[in-house]
């Protein structure tokens, strides 16, 4: 099976073939973001993870504190179900979810998308991990991974992909999370993290599992 990075690299290469100018612009923006150390404010190792209470697709409120009573929690921020790189990531995480659960941990995926009823009860019941809605990316900001998306990217999503992020997120269309993943122990401390302002790069599930094994 291909690693998540290999799948992502293939997706990037596909994008370069379809729209090289756009992908070159993305490369430039990511290089600028890294030069300005955007994402450098993300919470660090051994810091306490900010508490949150957010709705799931049913509108039920889920709190980090309640989840931590059951064991470690993997918190991953993603841009939304409309993002192909996010979908690759979540599918890769789903494929290793049994390993995560076997280590006593839960996976929580957070995006700014609102719980708008677009998921059927079957969709919800088939989810093996917890999906939460962080409207306006407020929790992402607390974790230091909220990012103001450059205009040309929001324009690309609006014009080329016909995505109305203001409607999808019921709020900001230009504030999205940097895709980031945090492993939080049962005491609420961050023991592993992955933060990269390049939204095309994600944490490998195997690395997350290795981090959880250190707790076991």
């Amino acid at each position: 099976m291909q690693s998540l990075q290999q799948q992502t690299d293939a997706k990037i290469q596909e994008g370069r073939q379809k729209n090289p100018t756009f992908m070159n612009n993305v490369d430039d923006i990511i290089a600028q973001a890294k030069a300005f150390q955007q994402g450098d404010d993300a919470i660090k190792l051994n810091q306490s993870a900010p508490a949150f209470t957010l709705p799931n697709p049913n509108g039920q409120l889920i709190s980090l504190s309640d989840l931590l009573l059951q064991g470690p929690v993997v918190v991953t921020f993603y841009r939304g179900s409309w993002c192909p790189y996010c979908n690759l990531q979540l599918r890769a995480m789903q494929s290793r979810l049994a390993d995560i659960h076997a280590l006593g941990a839960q996976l929580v995926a957070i995006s700014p998308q609102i719980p708008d009823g677009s998921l059927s009860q079957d969709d919800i019941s088939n989810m093996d991990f917890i999906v939460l809605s962080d409207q306006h990316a407020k929790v992402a900001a607390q974790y230091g991974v909220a990012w103001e998306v450059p205009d040309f990217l929001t324009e690309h999503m609006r014009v080329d992909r016909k995505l109305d992020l203001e409607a999808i997120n019921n709020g900001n269309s230009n504030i999205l999370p940097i895709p980031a993943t945090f492993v939080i122990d049962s005491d609420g401390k961050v023991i592993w993290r992955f933060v990269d302002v390049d939204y095309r790069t994600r944490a490998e599930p195997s690395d997350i599992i290795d981090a959880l094994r250190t707790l076991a």
Side-chain angles (χ1 to χ4, degrees), residues 67-146:
L67 295 174
L68 290 172
L69 292 175
Q70 304 170 51
V73 177
V74 179
V75 174
T76 189
F77 291 91
Y78 70 106
R79 302 196 302 161
S81 62
W82 48 268
C83 169
Y85 300 101
C86 298
N87 289 330
L88 282 177
Q89 175 199 12
L90 295 181
R91 282 198 293 269
M93 295 291 286
Q94 173 71 35
S95 73
R96 299 299 306 273
L97 198 58
D99 298 311
I100 292 172
H101 288 168
L103 291 164
Q106 297 185 72
L107 171 63
V108 177
I110 301 175
S111 85
Q113 279 188 263
I114 58 169
D116 59 357
S118 60
L119 293 174
S120 69
Q121 285 301 120
D122 285 342
D123 291 331
I124 294 169
S125 63
N126 287 332
M127 286 183 178
D128 296 323
F129 54 86
I130 300 166
V131 177
L132 300 178
S133 174
D134 176 26
Q135 195 173 353
H136 304 297
K138 290 180 179 178
V139 173
Q142 291 178 324
Y143 277 71
V145 296

